[in-house]
Structure formats: C-alpha cells, structure tokens
Amino acid sequence: MNSLSSTPKRDLLSLLDLSTAEILHLFARASILKTALKAGETVHPLKGRTLAMVFEKPSTRTRVSFETGMYQLGGHALFLSSKEMQLGRGEEISDSARVLSRYVNGIMVRTFAHENLLTMARYATVPVINGLSDDFHPCQILTDIFTFQEHRGPIAGRKVAWIGDGNNVAHSWILAAARLGFHLVMAIPNGYEPKASVLEKANQEIAKQASQGSITLLRQPSDAVADADLVTTDAWTSMGQEQEQKKRQKAFADYCVDSKLMRKAKAEALFMHCLPAHRGEEVTSEVLDGPQSVVWDEAENRLHVQKAILEWLLA
Ligand code: CP
Ligand code: NVA
C-alpha cells in the first residue's frame, strides 16, 4: 500500500501489469500531453513529487526522457547510479526500496536480473517502473506501439516482424502482441529464442483475452518480413553480454535489416529500433536513415509516453 493513500500502489514491471484498456488510456494521455507540450502549455500534475531513477546499466534515452518528463510535469527526478549508492556496496535491494519509499513518490529502475525489480517492487511502498531489465523493456514497447499508431493507426490485426535476438525488447513485443492483438513474426537464430516462459504466458493471455494476437517463431528474416507493416530489430549484444560479442556477431550475421530485406515487407512498412543502433550490424545506415525509418520519432515519444505513465502512477 502507498503510505499516503488507501488504494494499493501499482507498478509497471512488464506489460502484463497493464490491461488493454489501460494501455489505450496511456496512449490517449500521451497524445494529449504531447500536443500540450508542442503548444507551450504547462501541465503540472506532479508538482512537488519526486522520482528516484536507479541505474545499474548505462542509458541515454531512458534517463533523459524520464528526467525531462518529471520536470515538465512539475516534479523532480533524481539520477542515482547504483555504483554511487550503498546498493553498489551491498545494501540489500529490499532495504533500499523501503528507504527510498520514505523520500520519493516513485522509483524507476534499470537493472540486470528481473528478480531485482520484483524485489524492489515488493518492498517499495511507492510505484516501481521498469526502465529495462534483462527480461523486459515495457516503456520502450509502449512507445513503439504509440509511434506506430501515430503513423499508421491501430496496430490490432497488423503484422510486426522482429529480426534478431530473443531478448528483453523482444519479450516485451511478445507480451504486447497478447495485449494489443497484432501478429508478431520473429526471425531468430538457433539458440537465441525468447524464453519459453514468456511465450507461454503470452499465449495464455491470448487465450484468456480471446485476443486476435499471435506469435510465430521462424529462422529466416525474409520469411518473417513478408507483408509486414512494421520491421523492427535491436542490438545483437545487449548490455551485460559484452563477453559474448564475437560469438553473437557470428550467430547473427544473416540477421541484418538492410534495404533488400525491407523491400520484402509492405511498401508502406515502417522501420523501428529502440536505439542505440549498431550501424552495419543489426541494421544498415541506409535503412536507419531511410524513408521508412521512424526511429527519431520513436526516441522522442519515450518522453510523451513516459509522462503519461508517470502521471498515471504518481499523480
Ligand atoms: N532505448 C533505450 O532504452 O535507450 P537507452 O539505453 O539510451 O536508455
Ligand atoms: N536489448 C538492449 C536494449 C537497449 C535499450 C539491451 O538490453 O542492451
């Protein structure tokens, strides 16, 4: 329970923490907040509120968009590198969660093991937001779908092609397919498939929700992108996997999104990447900088979508 209110606190650790209706509500608010910002209007629902941002991994977009978002909503964000916190010297996550909850109104965490986030959320009495874990990146995928919908309308029933690693970003796409009813077709090399538990959970949710969403795993990128409305990819080597880089470069060599591959998707297909991109590895500069790419809109929209999340959880 939040110490200041009688309603249970909510967290955003994975997309399963949100119902379809809540996701659509966040998109509507993100759109309103974006329009207000562009019109120079002041919207301060978080006046006097603070967000602790605990980072165990590097970040450009997540850090700057959350910090800027809190400021624009009238609140304040604290950047806390875990190395410079007692957390980095062995203070328990459970103790840090209880202490931070006495000072701030919300905690955003970027960490390695997803279990760390679950522990933070279990002991915090304020909302906890996943700013990326080894398993999920929910704020990113909410933003990606918001961006798709801005450009192309509802994503339900559309085809999304994922090319590359079955990683944290891929896992969030999988859960999103269940919640928002689109067809996710993934081309993934042998040995780099998404976790079976995530696929199983998504398929359970599809059945429970009678969602029209589906998830298909393939090997060949050209099969996955056929007729796709959106082609997306991510780094071959995620943060924390640096020692596997050489092995991964070999395993993913045929999984580069280039112009030839994009031509197999629908003519109006969009290209997205959560960034940072590794030009010449998972995507060519021609695609990243090309007319189908909406990666800069996607990066900008982290700000607007997260403001909607912050307003919803912290106001
Ligand atoms: N996409 C994303 O989360 O970027 P950062 O690692 O820069 O935060
Ligand atoms: N999969 C990448 C995403 C970076 C935003 C990583 O975890 O490093």
Side-chain angles (χ1 to χ4, degrees):
M1 297 287 240
N2 185 315
S3 54
L4 298 175
S5 87
S6 55
T7 50
K9 65 141 178 154
R10 295 284 301 270
D11 301 305
L12 175 50
L13 308 184
S14 89
L15 289 178
L16 295 182
D17 290 324
L18 296 170
S19 67
T20 304
E22 285 170 338
I23 293 173
L24 298 178
H25 167 76
L26 288 175
F27 289 166
R29 280 303 299 163
S31 190
I32 290 167
L33 291 168
K34 182 172 180 175
T35 305
L37 181 72
K38 305 264 174 198
E41 288 166 26
T42 300
V43 184
H44 277 175
L46 299 187
K47 194 163 185 295
R49 308 223 147 209
T50 52
L51 176 76
M53 308 191 301
V54 180
F55 281 90
E56 292 197 308
K57 293 174 175 174
S59 170
T60 297
R61 282 142 287 266
T62 305
R63 176 182 175 180
V64 177
S65 55
F66 267 106
E67 188 163 337
T68 302
M70 276 304 288
Y71 176 79
Q72 289 177 356
L73 292 169
H76 179 75
L78 297 95
F79 171 74
L80 302 167
S81 158
S82 62
K83 283 192 208 83
E84 283 146 38
M85 294 173 72
Q86 297 291 7
L87 199 55
R89 293 183 58 247
E91 185 169 11
E92 297 283 334
I93 296 172
S94 53
D95 295 346
S96 306
R98 286 180 280 210
V99 170
L100 287 174
S101 298
R102 298 291 177 110
Y103 302 130
V104 300
N105 304 98
I107 306 171
M108 191 235 77
V109 184
R110 169 166 285 196
T111 188
F112 291 89
H114 191 68
E115 187 61 33
N116 295 342
L117 260 165
L118 299 177
T119 306
M120 186 67 93
R122 193 173 315 129
Y123 289 93
T125 54
V126 297
V128 175
I129 302 171
N130 182 355
L132 181 148
S133 67
D134 286 348
D135 284 0
F136 299 109
H137 198 0
C139 298
Q140 180 69 54
I141 282 4
L142 287 172
T143 301
D144 293 1
I145 294 170
F146 175 80
T147 307
F148 179 87
Q149 299 201 153
E150 273 190 333
H151 285 269
R152 294 285 185 266
I155 201 164
R158 303 297 194 100
K159 178 174 171 184
V160 176
W162 172 270
I163 309 299
D165 193 14
N167 64 12
N168 44 5
V169 175
H171 285 160
S172 286
W173 273 110
I174 290 169
L175 298 183
R179 280 288 185 266
L180 293 166
F182 57 86
H183 304 293
L184 179 64
V185 181
M186 316 182 88
I188 297 187
N190 189 13
Y192 295 93
E193 293 85 357
K195 284 188 177 179
S197 57
V198 176
L199 288 167
E200 197 182 319
K201 189 73 199 156
N203 284 318
Q204 280 168 6
E205 290 295 320
I206 287 172
K208 203 160 91 189
Q209 258 188 265
S211 157
Q212 62 172 325
S214 66
I215 300 135
T216 310
L217 259 56
L218 302 173
R219 288 277 178 246
Q220 292 302 326
S222 55
D223 293 340
V225 299
D227 269 337
D229 297 282
L230 167 64
V231 178
T232 186
T233 186
D234 185 16
W236 294 341
T237 304
S238 284
M239 291 179 277
Q241 299 173 332
E242 288 76 10
Q243 75 291 353
E244 295 176 26
Q245 190 169 356
K246 287 240 146 50
K247 188 175 116 199
R248 285 175 166 269
Q249 276 168 338
K250 260 197 202 143
F252 289 97
D254 296 332
Y255 289 75
C256 174
V257 179
D258 57 16
S259 300
K260 191 169 156 228
L261 191 67
M262 282 304 291
R263 278 197 290 277
K264 295 191 191 321
K266 281 191 181 151
E268 66 275 19
L270 298 176
F271 173 77
M272 285 192 198
H273 190 309
C274 63
L275 304 176
H278 306 79
R279 291 167 182 262
E281 290 200 358
E282 74 274 8
V283 61
T284 59
S285 284
E286 204 184 350
V287 170
L288 196 72
D289 300 324
Q292 288 168 285
S293 171
V294 291
V295 297
W296 316 120
D297 292 345
E298 184 187 357
E300 176 191 328
N301 282 334
R302 291 290 301 277
L303 172 68
H304 310 301
V305 171
Q306 287 161 195
K307 280 170 72 180
I309 294 168
L310 290 166
E311 180 191 55
W312 171 60
L313 287 175
L314 270 56

